[in-house]
Amino acid sequence: MKNGSDVIVRPARNVRGSVSLPGDKSISYRYAMLAGIAEGPSRIENYSTGADCASTLACMRTLGVAWERNKDSGNAIEVQGRGLALAPPAAALDCGNSGSTMRMLSGIVAGQKFPSEMVGDESLSRRPMERVITPLSAMGAQIASQGGKPPLRITGAALRAIDYTMPVASAQVKSCLLFAGLFADGETRITEPLRTRDHGEVALRAFGVKLDRRSSGQGNEIIIRGGQRLRGIEARIPGDLSSAAFFLCAAALFPGSQLTVPGLLMNPTRARLLDVLMQIGLRISVTQLDEIHGELVGSLQVEGAGLKGATIAGADSAALIDEIPVLAAIAPYTEQGIEVRDARELRVKESDRIAAVAANLRLMGAQVEEREDGLKIPGGQALHGAELDSFGDHRIAMAFAVAALRARGETVIHGADSAAISYPAFFQTLEAVTER
Ligand code: S3P
């Protein structure tokens, strides 16, 4: 039941049905940007329905890229690529709530012959941008910011290739620098100490770019030569695994649940969630594994069973960064609880997700230990419904809709409309698969 931006979630008895997810957000952004700088048209089906990926498309239009969207035909977008040279924007590039759009697109505008201004909403205006400012400046771009935060004023330049080791494990930064590397003179080398999602590399290859990858004791090194031209593609984006996480965790809450998820992204750099959920007790089988433009896609059959516990730390925390809020939200219902370490990055997402999860769990009556870099949530706890806040953060709104399914009494989520940032149909879809 929905009232303005409040949503009331009632407890459920079971989760059953089939969920087809809109296209993966991480792939959607990258395809929209690369289609814009490719030569020739691209047609991309199952583009993300979220407001974030609409922000990317709006920015591309401001940079002179023509595109059309057909919501009746599988959410397809058709993009007329302009090649590497975009048009000077007549207005600021509005990235809305999307850190990914601002960080990745900064790598493309840094290589243009004109200045651009990138702005965002209140949440994005608080998020750290030095992680792209420092390496892009080393490549020769001039970037002014508000103490390392948006708005960014980027004066593009003929870029120089760099050899850069990323201090923060961030796929957004890696993609930003690979995109900038297309405009650089020579070979740009990027080393990531912890392996992050590789959609940037996979997408660049899909558009015809050659990349090299080397793994060593220092981490994962990716090498891109500047001046390569991209060609448009026809593609279908697999279902968003991070959106599927909410339904998979909802299924995990009920021993009798049964869920089918067709056409889901199964990229190994994203699929750690499935291992953790299986370890917790969910039964998952994968049918019909395929590959589309280098991305694995599969159909899942899921059955609830027990709910043990888990520890998420080290490389797993980076790999599961977007799924930790919902895993933490179901943690009290597990037998042994869930401990999250090495996830300090959660504090600088769309909200401070460590604080937001702790605050909402406490309002539902849970005992929670909040730490600088994570959370320790004991298992075996019974929660009650409560009045919660989304903190304007899509993943917090959705995570607590899931937690509310096993609470005693109703839960009200204020600011639940923020779910539309990644998944506008979330609440209707959740309602459709819950039994009461
Ligand atoms: C993303 C990378 C992650 C993730 C974000 C999407 C991407 O951010 O949290 O939702 O598409 O590359 P970081 O790069 O900051 O880790």
Side-chain angles (χ1 to χ4, degrees), residues 25-27 29-30 100 103-104 127 131 169-173 175 196-197 199 318 321-322 345 349-350 353 395:
K25 196 152 87 86
S26 289
I27 299 177
Y29 299 122
R30 289 167 170 88
S100 298
R103 293 189 180 129
M104 293 194 266
R127 297 184 63 189
R131 54 188 66 191
S170 166
Q172 294 169 353
V173 176
S175 288
T196 64
R197 61 190 78 189
H199 304 300
I321 200 76
D322 291 340
E345 272 292 300
K349 293 289 180 189
E350 288 84 327
R353 289 183 172 160
R395 298 207 198 277

Side-chain angles (χ1 to χ4, degrees), residues 232-255:
I233 60 168
E234 295 224 344
R236 180 177 172 82
I237 301 181
D240 192 315
L241 188 59
S242 302
S243 298
F246 300 103
F247 297 98
L248 299 176
C249 285
L253 292 178
F254 303 96

